[in-house]
Amino acid sequence: MTEDPRDQILAFGTATSEGPAKDPSLDAWRELPIRQAPQWSDEAEHRAALAELAQVPPLVFAGEVDVLRMRLAEVARGEAFLLQGGDCAETFAGSTANRISARVKTILQMAAVLTYGASTPVVKMGRIAGQYAKPRSSDTETRDGVTLPSFRGEIVNGFEFTPEARRHDARRMVRAYHTAASTLNLVRAFTQGGFADLRSVHAWNKGFMENPAYAQYEETAAEIDRAVRFMDAAGVDFEAMRRTEFYSAHEALLLEYERALTRTDSRTGDPYATSAHFLWIGERTREVDGAHVDFLSRVRNPIGVKLGPSATAVDALALAEKLDPNREPGRLTFITRMGAERIRDVLPSIVEGVRDAGLTPVWVTDPMHGNTVTAENGYKTRRFDDVMDEVRGFFEVHRALGTHPGGMHVELTGDDVAECLGGAEHVLEADFNERYETLCDPRLNHQQSLEMAFAVTEALAHPGGR
Ligand code: PEP
Ligand code: MN
C-alpha cells in the first residue's frame, strides 16, 4: 500500500466490485416483512431504475467506511465525540451549492465549538447526500376531502398535493443517486480544499458572537478564542488542519436502493453499502425480525438504530446480537430519541442493561424526534428549550451510569429558517408563515444550531454550571 492517503482511497475505490454484490444472503430481507415499502406505479420503470443503479459507481469507498468504523470505536471508548446533522428530508431543488455549503459550514462551526467542550476530536457526519426517503405513520393524506398517497421523500414521490406528484415513481431513485453524487462531490471539495480551516471556522464563529443575543455565551467564546491563539503561539501547524474527514449518512429506508448500490470489496470479499458511509435504521423499521435489520446486518458499514421511548434493554440487546454479533468496536450506534420529559425515566434501564451485558455501542442523543409538537397555527415544531433539556438529560443519565455520552444527532439547516421555537433570538410561531421551509420535520436554523453547540459546550466544560 502506498503512503499518500489519497492514493489509498483510490486503491480502495477501485477495489470494489463492478456491479452489485452477488452474495444471495443480501436478498434474504425480501422474504421478511418490509415496512414502509413504496408501491411503484410502473413495473418496467422500476426494473429499469434498479438495473441502472446496479451498474453505477459507488458513492463512498470501502476504505473510508473502515476508517469511519475506527473513528466510531474511538467515540465508543470516550476518546472522540460524534456530531451528526442535516435536513430531515433533503430535496433535489434544495441541493444547490449555497445550501449545501451553508449546512456543511454550520456543522463545521458546531464541531469547532464542541471540540473545545468535549476536549476530544469531533467526528463530523451529515444527514446529507442521500437523506431522501421518509417513513410515514399513514399511507395516505387527506386534504379537503381528497385522499392521496403520503409524501415519502423525493426518492419516492413529490411533495405537491396532486395525483401525478404523489405517484410512486421509481425513476426518482436514479435522480436521488445523481443528486447524492453531486452533493457529496461538493462536500468532499469543501472539506478537502481548505474550507475546513480551523482559523476560518473560528472567524465565522466570532462573527456569530457579535450578535448581542448571544452575550450569555461570551465567556465560552473568549475561552475558545484564547485556546486557538494559544495553539497558534505554540506553533500548531494550522496548514495541516485545512482538511477534515466528513462522513455521509442517511436512514436506510428504501432497501431496494441500498441493495442495488451494495458492492463487494475485492480486498476482503465483504459487502459494503456504497450509498453512504453510515446508515441508520429508523424507529419505525427496527423490528429485529424485519427486513431492514436483516439487510443491514449483512453489510460492513457502521450501523445506527434509533431507539424511541417504547424500547427496552431487551430490544437493544436483541438488535445488538443481530447487527453486531462479534461486538466489533465502532460497528453499532444507538441513537436515542426519548423526548425531554421521558429521557431521565426511560433511558437509564436501557443503557444499564446494555452496559451490564458488556457491550460498548456508541450512544448518541437525537433530541429532535421525541420533542415534536403542533403549534397553535398548525405547524409541526420543536421548542429549543425541550431540545436542550433532552441533551442535558442524556448527559446526566450517562454520567450517572459511567457510560460515554458519545454524540448528538440533530436536524438542522444552514439557512435562516423559522421552524423550531425559541433560542436566544426568540423564533416565534408568527415567523413560521414567512420562513418555514421544511418538507418534513422542523430543523434548527443556523443560529439555533450554533447556540446549541455553545450551550452543550458549557454543559460539558462546566457540568455544575458556572
Ligand atoms: C428521522 O430521523 O427523520 C426520523 C424519521 O426519525 P425516527 O426514526 O427516530 O422517527
Ligand atoms: Mn425527521
Side-chain angles (χ1 to χ4, degrees):
M1 201 61 60
T2 50
E3 291 293 306
D4 187 322
R6 283 162 300 179
D7 294 343
Q8 286 193 16
I9 298 286
L10 283 176
F12 291 145
T14 52
T16 49
S17 61
E18 187 91 335
K22 300 239 160 42
D23 181 350
S25 76
L26 290 166
D27 292 304
W29 61 273
R30 296 183 197 275
E31 307 304 319
L32 300 171
I34 310 169
R35 299 223 185 211
Q36 302 282 340
Q39 308 292 315
W40 303 114
S41 58
D42 184 315
E43 192 39 40
E45 280 175 8
H46 177 210
R47 273 199 307 270
L50 290 178
E52 188 169 345
L53 289 174
Q55 298 305 327
V56 294
L59 294 177
V60 304
F61 302 130
E64 300 170 335
V65 171
D66 292 341
V67 173
L68 174 61
R69 205 182 318 97
M70 279 164 38
R71 299 287 179 243
L72 292 173
E74 290 165 11
V75 175
R77 291 194 298 268
E79 297 161 10
F81 191 77
L82 172 64
L83 175 62
Q84 303 180 303
D87 284 328
C88 178
E90 286 184 277
T91 63
F92 299 152
S95 299
T96 63
N98 287 349
R99 287 174 167 232
I100 295 162
S101 68
R103 242 177 303 154
V104 171
K105 195 169 158 178
T106 304
I107 294 170
L108 294 175
Q109 286 181 265
M110 292 175 77
V113 177
L114 290 166
T115 302
Y116 179 80
S119 301
T120 63
V122 173
V123 180
K124 302 158 200 92
M125 194 185 286
R127 286 176 64 114
I128 204 164
Q131 178 55 23
Y132 307 112
K134 297 312 300 174
R136 301 317 300 245
S137 38
S138 168
D139 283 342
T140 57
E141 177 183 351
T142 301
R143 288 191 202 172
D144 302 326
V146 179
T147 298
L148 291 176
S150 296
F151 172 58
R152 291 186 168 273
E154 288 194 334
I155 197 169
V156 175
N157 59 1
F159 184 71
E160 202 192 344
F161 195 71
T162 63
E164 179 46 29
R166 290 293 172 95
R167 164 178 104 86
H168 293 187
D169 178 352
R171 292 172 304 182
R172 284 174 170 271
M173 287 192 279
V174 177
R175 181 151 181 216
Y177 165 83
H178 289 292
T179 310
S182 62
T183 301
L184 196 58
N185 181 52
L186 206 58
V187 172
R188 289 185 190 277
F190 284 146
T191 54
Q192 299 304 310
F195 194 73
D197 191 320
L198 179 64
R199 291 163 298 189
S200 26
V201 175
H202 181 58
W204 300 331
N205 282 349
K206 289 215 292 205
F208 163 81
M209 281 302 302
E210 277 161 19
N211 182 338
Y214 302 109
Q216 57 175 310
Y217 304 108
E218 237 160 44
E219 274 186 59
T220 301
E223 284 171 18
I224 297 175
D225 192 47
R226 268 199 300 281
V228 173
R229 281 187 286 136
F230 171 77
M231 286 165 70
D232 196 15
V236 164
D237 183 2
F238 282 104
E239 285 302 308
M241 300 196 305
R242 295 182 71 226
R243 295 176 179 187
T244 187
E245 291 173 19
F246 194 104
Y247 295 99
S248 64
H250 61 257
E251 177 174 350
L253 186 66
L254 199 50
L255 293 178
E256 293 172 299
Y257 176 81
E258 301 302 342
R259 172 65 182 98
L261 289 174
T262 297
R263 305 279 179 268
T264 306
D265 178 1
S266 51
R267 298 172 306 166
T268 57
D270 290 334
Y272 285 72
T274 66
S275 63
H277 299 107
F278 179 96
L279 296 172
W280 78 84
I281 304 171
E283 167 73 357
R284 292 174 187 76
T285 51
R286 65 167 166 80
E287 41 303 279
V288 73
D289 298 321
H292 291 78
V293 171
D294 186 274
F295 178 71
L296 290 162
S297 74
R298 299 175 193 274
V299 293
R300 287 289 291 139
N301 309 56
I303 301 299
V305 188
K306 295 277 199 100
L307 296 177
S310 68
T312 63
V314 172
D315 296 335
L317 289 172
L319 286 162
E321 193 51 41
K322 177 99 191 180
L323 289 165
D324 183 24
N326 302 325
R327 301 187 180 189
E328 190 181 7
R331 159 73 173 174
L332 181 64
T333 296
F334 283 128
I335 307 167
T336 63
R337 27 89 86 220
M338 302 299 179
E341 270 186 20
R342 309 186 60 181
I343 182 162
R344 292 168 182 84
D345 298 327
V346 293
L347 187 58
S349 63
I350 300 174
V351 173
E352 209 166 12
V354 170
R355 178 199 68 185
D356 292 348
L359 308 191
T360 45
V362 174
W363 291 105
V364 167
T365 176
D366 163 358
M368 313 299 293
H369 287 90
N371 295 307
T372 314
V373 292
T374 305
E376 301 263 311
N377 56 1
Y379 288 90
K380 228 196 217 190
T381 188
R382 292 157 177 161
R383 292 186 195 90
F384 184 80
D385 288 347
D386 293 343
V387 169
M388 279 311 304
D389 190 31
E390 176 150 3
V391 175
R392 285 195 195 92
F394 172 78
F395 284 114
E396 283 165 32
V397 168
H398 284 284
R399 242 182 229 127
L401 295 172
T403 43
H404 294 298
M408 301 198 303
H409 181 114
V410 187
E411 286 184 342
L412 58 79
T413 169
D415 305 324
D416 185 25
V417 301
E419 298 171 5
C420 291
L421 291 169
E425 287 199 271
H426 304 295
V427 172
L428 303 171
E429 288 188 10
D431 300 321
F432 292 167
N433 293 323
E434 300 293 322
R435 297 190 283 135
Y436 194 99
E437 295 178 15
T438 181
L439 298 193
C440 199
D441 290 337
R443 304 158 295 176
L444 298 181
N445 65 25
H446 175 73
Q447 291 87 342
Q448 289 169 326
S449 304
L450 282 185
E451 182 175 357
M452 172 188 235
F454 274 100
V456 169
T457 286
E458 296 197 342
L460 287 168
H462 307 279
R466 275 187 184 277

